[in-house]
Structures are given as C-alpha cells and as structure tokens.
Amino acid sequence: MDLKEKLVSSFLAFENHVDIDGYIHDVRTDAIKVFEEKGFPSKKEEDWKYTSLNSILKEDYSVFPKQENALDYKDIKKYFIHDIDTYKIIFIDGKYSSHLSQTTHDGIDVCLMSSALNKPKYQLIIENYFNKAAVKDSLSSLNTAFSSEGAYIHIPKNKIVQKPIQILHFSTGNESATMLQPRNLVVVDENSHVQIVERHQSLTSNPVLTNSVTEIFANKRAIVDYYKIQNDNENAFLIDNTFIKQKRESLASVHTFAFGGKLIRNNLNFYQEGERIDSTLKGITIIGNKQHVDHNTLVHHKEPNCESHQDYKGIFTDRSTGVFNGKVVVNKEAQKTNAFQANNNILLSDQASINTKPQLEIFADDVKCSHGCTIGQLDESAMFYMRSRGIPEKEAKALLMYAFSNNVLSSVKIPELKQRITKIIANKLGVNIGFDL
C-alpha cells in the first residue's frame, strides 16, 4: 500500500475519533475527495517541475503518532526565543503539550485548533474563516481532511498584542517514520497588531514529514508580522503552505529563514482584497550537502493603490539545490500597483544549483512592476580587498555572505529574534561565535 492509499484508507478511522456532525465534517469530506482525485504532486506539474517528492513518499509513515514522549523544558530550551516573554503553543508529535505552553483568553484567543473546531463559542469564526483562504490543491486538501490540531489565534479589533506568539512543533522519533499535519488559523481584526514566530523541529534521526497549512486573515488596518525558522535536521521534510488574505489598508509580512531539513517546499500565497494594502515576502536560504529548498510564492493584486515587496536571498554550497518560483498577478482593476520582486543567489560550489523563475502577469496599464534574479559567486575584488587588510579567507567569505543577506535580516522587527537568526547565519557560514543551533 503506497502512502496515498494509506492516507485515504486512514481517513475513515480518523473521522471516527472526531465530531462528524459539525460544520467541519463536510469540509474534511470534500477535502479528502480532492486529495484522492489529485494525489501527490509530481514533476509533470509546472509548479513542481524542479522538486520531486518521490524519495520522501517511499517511507512507511505513521499517520497517527503514538502518545507523546514527555519532554522537559531543559531538553528544548535552546529552540525557544527565550530572551523575551512570549505566548507559547507547543506540540510534541502532533499533540498539545500543556506543561510547556502558555496560552491565553485574556482579551485575545491564543489557544488550540482542536478547541476551536469543537466548541460552540468559536463556531462563527470557524465558519467564516476556516479553509476560506487555502487553495484546493492536493497537499492543502490533505491537511484539511486530517485537520484537528494546531494553533488558533484570534485577535479582536483594536488590540496590540504586547508580546510575540511562538508556535513550536517537535517530533521525538517515537515512530520509525512520522507524518504530521498541523493546521493554524490566525484571524487579526481591524486595527490590531500581532507578531508570530513558527518553528518545526525534529529531535530524531528518524524521517519526519510535515505537511503544514496556515491561514492568516489581516482585516482592515491590521498588522501581521510572521516569522518562519526552518533549521531542522537533515532527515526532516517540510511542506509549508501559507495563505494570507488582506483587507483594506492592512500590512502583512512573512520572513522565511530556511537553513535545515533535507527537503523544504514553501508555498506562500498573498491575496489582496482592498486598497492601500502592503504585502512583504522576504527570505534567506543557506544550505549545503544534498539539501533542497523550494520557494513558491504568489501575490495577487486585486484592487488599486497597493504594494508588494519580495526579496529572497540564497547561498548554496556542496550539492545543494534551490528553487525560486515567484509570481505576481495584477488584475485589470488594480491600477497604481507597485510590485517589486528580486531573487539573488550565490553558488559556492560547482555542484550546487538554483532554478529561478520570477513571473509577472499584468492586466493593468498604470503600474510599477519589476522583477529580476541574479546567480553568481563571491566578488573576487571584494575578497582581495578584505584579504589585503589582514582578514583571513574564511572570515572574509563569511562577512561578504552575511552582508549579502543582511538587507533581509534588517527588516526583522523583533530584536531578540534578529539576534538569534544572526547567530544561526554566522554558524552556517562557519564563524564561531559561541552559539550553536
């Protein structure tokens, strides 16, 4: 039995353990039909031309992991942004860990998706928002079919959340191979502001496949800052699907830092549904060995007087491969759009490669849209200058690569997170600063 057949047959068992009378039952049932029809994507599909899932689908994944292993805070402390106070939603092998988490209902809802899906008090939000942004492709539909646990965040209007929210998913290796499908829903009402940091972390050498879906709704004049830290071990596979709908005058940004994992696929989709919206997509990828990272982005401009900014930097060494497929769509009605897209890459090895395809589809005539990509090596004249000033070759390379990626890092708005990412980058570039993750 292949993985697709196993998942489809497991759906009935899953349904026996969840509420089959609620609104969500019909959503799940429709979703499994989509997945059964489409199956896993292949390289025959244009959006997956450079990323094959064949090798990771051969594992015999446990679809329903056993009871969580107990973890102490000291075991996972280094994965937290612990320099500042935060709300924390912690999952171990797909199960909520109450003793490690800090949630709240004090004016805002930072709690569990399982509670939101099953309790009447959340029904209106679930019916208005759940699965309303996610596209009906095979992997998102698969997640929807098995959706039961993840983070549920609802920020009522006129609220500035005073501390960031951390969402952390840990896998312990309780099974020989594990498949996890977390589902996050973030609803930020008008005039509210929230900062969220998300991380998926395997604590085992056993294969782990995570198929994650996050839906974010930024209502009028809302501000959402979302940060993804992807620094997993090299037996972990992550397919991250994020969908963001923005209303008038909202600001939403997603920063993706991809450093670890054997294969990462980031599907990031922004839908602008109002005027004077600003969307920001930025990322840094630094990988080596045989790692593979694929960024697939979409910004859909539907209304006039909006902006979007995409800036992705990649540094590839050894036999690593990168993919960037970025699309900007500007509707006929979206006059006065200002859309910027850039993908710049450095190859440090003759065997490293990057496939990049920036795309513009413009149906309006009064717009400012630009896109471009670069692929190259380190500037030899800059290296010579630094070496002539007494800087050793290793440190000179690291400084040049850090400067290359710094304009993305400089837009991070949480100082402690910026410091953490800076140290991870320094370690990835081979500079010893006494901090290792």
Side-chain angles (χ1 to χ4, degrees):
M1 181 184 298
D2 65 17
L3 183 56
K4 176 188 173 183
E5 293 171 338
K6 182 176 182 178
L7 288 164
V8 172
S9 63
S10 299
F11 179 72
L12 290 177
F14 170 76
E15 280 280 82
N16 288 334
H17 292 88
V18 295
D19 182 11
I20 63 171
D21 297 320
Y23 159 82
I24 196 65
H25 169 68
D26 292 338
V27 176
R28 288 191 181 111
T29 302
D30 292 341
I32 196 65
K33 291 178 181 177
V34 172
F35 173 72
E36 187 173 12
E37 176 186 348
K38 296 185 175 182
F40 287 99
S42 72
K43 295 182 73 172
K44 294 180 181 179
E45 300 175 35
E46 183 64 26
D47 286 348
W48 290 84
K49 183 177 180 180
Y50 300 107
T51 299
S52 172
L53 299 180
N54 290 341
S55 61
I56 68 177
L57 299 181
K58 294 177 181 178
E59 299 287 345
D60 184 19
Y61 295 103
S62 172
V63 180
F64 307 116
K66 297 174 184 177
Q67 187 64 32
E68 69 177 65
N69 283 342
L71 291 178
D72 293 327
Y73 178 71
K74 62 180 176 60
D75 299 324
I76 55 177
K77 177 181 177 181
K78 65 179 182 177
Y79 301 112
F80 290 82
I81 309 299
H82 50 75
D83 306 327
I84 54 173
D85 188 23
T86 63
Y87 297 111
K88 302 175 184 66
I89 312 175
I90 312 302
F91 302 94
I92 301 173
D93 293 331
K95 308 278 190 350
Y96 174 64
S97 175
S98 58
H99 76 282
L100 293 173
S101 300
Q102 180 191 352
T103 59
T104 182
H105 298 282
D106 184 17
I108 61 176
D109 280 317
V110 178
C111 60
L112 305 182
M113 181 62 76
S114 56
S115 297
L117 292 176
N118 296 308
K119 292 184 178 180
K121 65 177 287 189
Y122 301 109
Q123 183 176 356
L124 185 61
I125 294 293
I126 291 298
E127 291 187 0
N128 285 337
Y129 292 101
F130 183 84
N131 209 40
K132 295 298 193 295
V135 299
K136 307 305 186 284
D137 63 11
S138 60
L139 292 173
S140 298
S141 296
L142 174 61
N143 178 283
T144 299
F146 287 91
S147 57
S148 63
E149 195 57 284
Y152 172 88
I153 300 170
H154 177 214
I155 313 300
K157 65 180 182 179
N158 303 320
K159 290 281 186 180
I160 298 178
V161 183
Q162 296 300 319
K163 52 187 181 180
I165 300 169
Q166 293 192 75
I167 306 171
L168 290 95
H169 297 269
F170 294 101
S171 52
T172 63
N174 213 16
E175 311 274 357
S176 58
T178 304
M179 183 174 186
L180 302 173
Q181 300 202 73
R183 181 67 171 241
N184 303 317
L185 177 63
V186 180
V187 179
V188 184
D189 288 341
E190 60 182 274
N191 301 318
S192 293
H193 181 193
V194 66
Q195 297 175 318
I196 300 172
V197 181
E198 180 186 42
R199 181 167 185 161
H200 300 268
Q201 186 65 48
S202 175
L203 306 175
T204 174
S205 60
N206 293 343
V208 177
L209 170 58
T210 300
N211 177 39
S212 175
V213 170
T214 299
E215 294 182 288
I216 301 172
F217 296 85
N219 288 307
K220 290 190 298 183
R221 295 180 297 278
I223 302 175
V224 180
D225 293 319
Y226 207 100
Y227 303 93
K228 297 176 180 289
I229 303 176
Q230 300 171 343
N231 192 30
D232 218 335
N233 69 44
E234 291 189 20
N235 280 316
F237 312 102
L238 173 63
I239 301 169
D240 188 277
N241 308 281
T242 302
F243 306 93
I244 301 177
K245 281 194 173 183
Q246 293 183 249
K247 298 298 184 181
R248 179 167 58 89
E249 298 178 42
S250 62
L251 283 73
S253 66
V254 174
H255 288 69
T256 304
F257 301 101
F259 306 129
K262 189 170 184 178
L263 183 148
I264 299 174
R265 165 72 177 223
N266 290 304
N267 299 313
L268 179 56
N269 301 270
F270 277 71
Y271 305 99
Q272 297 186 340
E273 300 182 338
E275 294 193 44
R276 293 181 292 281
I277 289 173
D278 196 320
S279 305
T280 298
L281 304 76
K282 294 192 176 186
I284 299 174
T285 299
I286 305 176
I287 56 174
N289 297 325
K290 295 182 181 180
Q291 291 177 278
H292 180 99
V293 173
D294 181 345
H295 295 287
N296 192 287
T297 70
L298 166 68
V299 180
H300 194 165
H301 291 267
K302 300 180 180 181
E303 302 289 342
N305 302 304
C306 294
E307 298 190 9
S308 66
H309 307 270
Q310 297 188 60
D311 192 359
Y312 282 78
K313 305 285 190 180
I315 299 174
F316 305 91
T317 189
D318 302 322
R319 297 176 64 184
S320 61
T321 58
V323 181
F324 178 80
N325 188 359
K327 180 184 289 187
V328 176
V329 179
V330 182
N331 282 9
K332 183 178 180 180
E333 299 80 11
Q335 304 293 341
K336 304 294 184 181
T337 290
N338 182 7
F340 168 82
Q341 182 187 86
N343 175 229
N344 306 111
N345 304 281
I346 292 177
L347 301 181
L348 298 177
S349 164
D350 292 338
Q351 294 179 307
S353 63
I354 172 72
N355 298 284
T356 179
K357 186 173 72 171
Q359 304 173 71
L360 296 177
E361 294 184 10
I362 304 172
F363 302 97
D365 53 17
D366 186 8
V367 300
K368 289 176 60 179
C369 296
S370 63
H371 68 111
C373 64
T374 61
I375 302 171
Q377 298 176 327
L378 291 177
D379 187 336
E380 292 186 3
S381 60
M383 277 291 297
F384 175 79
Y385 176 83
M386 297 178 74
R387 294 295 307 280
S388 68
R389 296 304 187 269
I391 300 175
E393 181 179 4
K394 181 179 179 180
E395 284 72 15
K397 285 184 177 180
L399 286 171
L400 287 176
M401 289 185 286
Y402 181 78
F404 169 75
S405 59
N406 190 53
N407 67 320
V408 172
L409 188 60
S410 64
S411 62
V412 174
K413 297 178 182 177
I414 304 175
E416 294 80 4
L417 176 62
K418 183 186 296 186
Q419 183 181 28
R420 170 65 63 93
I421 297 297
T422 298
K423 292 178 178 178
I424 294 176
I425 290 174
N427 284 332
K428 291 290 291 186
L429 298 179
V431 178
N432 183 12
I433 55 176
F435 186 100
D436 190 25
L437 268 183

